[in-house]
């Protein structure tokens, strides 16, 4: 529903209030989203002794992630379906 309603609401807002109002609302919603992310705390994963040597380079980790996702069709389908 939001994929249909959002463009319609934005179009109506653009016609009635103008481009400046649409951009102001867009900027405000971005700032609200950014503000909420400032309060999120991401825990650091525990690294065991056996994991220290397996970290490897960024390219190796990226290749591992790619093969992991490609090897699981449900993860691949979700990754490709997200807009």
């Amino acid at each position: 529903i939001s994929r249909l309603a959002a463009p319609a609401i934005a179009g109506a807002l653009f016609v009635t209030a103008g481009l400046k109002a649409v951009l102001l609302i867009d900027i405000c919603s971005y700032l609200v989203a950014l503000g909420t992310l400032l309060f999120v705390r991401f825990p650091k994963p525990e690294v065991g002794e056996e994991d220290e040597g397996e970290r490897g380079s960024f390219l190796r980790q990226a290749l591992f992630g790619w093969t992991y996702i490609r090897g699981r069709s449900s993860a691949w389908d979700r990754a490709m379906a997200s807009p």
Side-chain angles (χ1 to χ4, degrees), residues 14-76:
F14 176 72
V15 169
T16 58
L19 180 62
K20 288 183 181 181
V22 173
L23 290 176
L24 181 64
I25 291 171
D26 191 31
I27 290 170
C28 289
S29 68
Y30 173 78
L31 291 175
V32 167
L34 183 64
T36 58
L37 285 176
L38 292 175
F39 292 104
V40 175
R41 298 290 175 235
F42 297 100
K44 292 187 178 186
E46 295 180 16
V47 179
E49 291 179 18
E50 64 276 353
D51 295 335
E52 294 259 346
E54 296 179 9
R55 287 189 63 184
S57 67
F58 174 77
L59 184 60
R60 183 173 298 174
Q61 290 180 11
L63 181 62
F64 173 78
W66 176 257
T67 55
Y68 180 85
I69 290 175
R70 290 292 292 165
R72 286 153 183 80
S73 62
S74 62
W76 177 253

